[in-house]
Amino acid sequence: YSGSYAKATHIAPLKDIDLALYYDVDDWRTTTGEIYTPGRVIGQLFRRMHQLHGHRLTIRRQNRSVGISFKDFDIDLVPALWDGNDQYAAIIPDRETKNWVATSIPLHIAFLKNRDKTYRPYAKTIRLIKAWKRCHAVDFPGFALELLAIKALDENSTSNNLGICFYRVLNY
């Protein structure tokens, strides 16, 4: 798994989980060697999931994933094209911008876990900020909010007090 659940930055109730599907990047190239467009990769994954499960589940194309809806829970399948490197650095699709976004899910997870070892409540602060975002219906991507909170805490807080950390992020 990947996403906020893997980083312990999710908020309850857990509505979905992100699963990164690592594919060999060479399996997603045109005959001229170019990587397929994000839309094509999402489209192929969508069609395959629809063939397998479309008769009983709701399958939908999303910006960076294919969503599968169960009764009370969603799974977002994120295709990650990987070249075999040791850090699991991969590219994930962004259909909106029609670009590929470089990421390393294991490094993101380790980075946040290491930050929490400083005795500053990074993950708890991020969960609190996400709960605040949900209560106030703020339309802002969760991952961007995580990065903003990390930067704010790195630059503006040495406290291990959750309230102070929350205040520092809000005022960043």
Side-chain angles (χ1 to χ4, degrees), residues 65-80:
S65 63
V66 170
I68 303 174
S69 293
F70 296 87
K71 183 179 178 186
D72 296 319
F73 192 73
D74 291 347
I75 295 177
D76 295 338
L77 302 176
V78 182

Side-chain angles (χ1 to χ4, degrees), residues 73-97:
F73 192 73
D74 291 347
I75 295 177
D76 295 338
L77 302 176
V78 182
L81 306 188
W82 179 53
D83 67 3
N85 66 73
D86 291 340
Q87 297 297 323
Y88 285 89
I91 53 175
I92 59 174
D94 187 322
R95 286 189 329 133
E96 186 176 297
T97 65

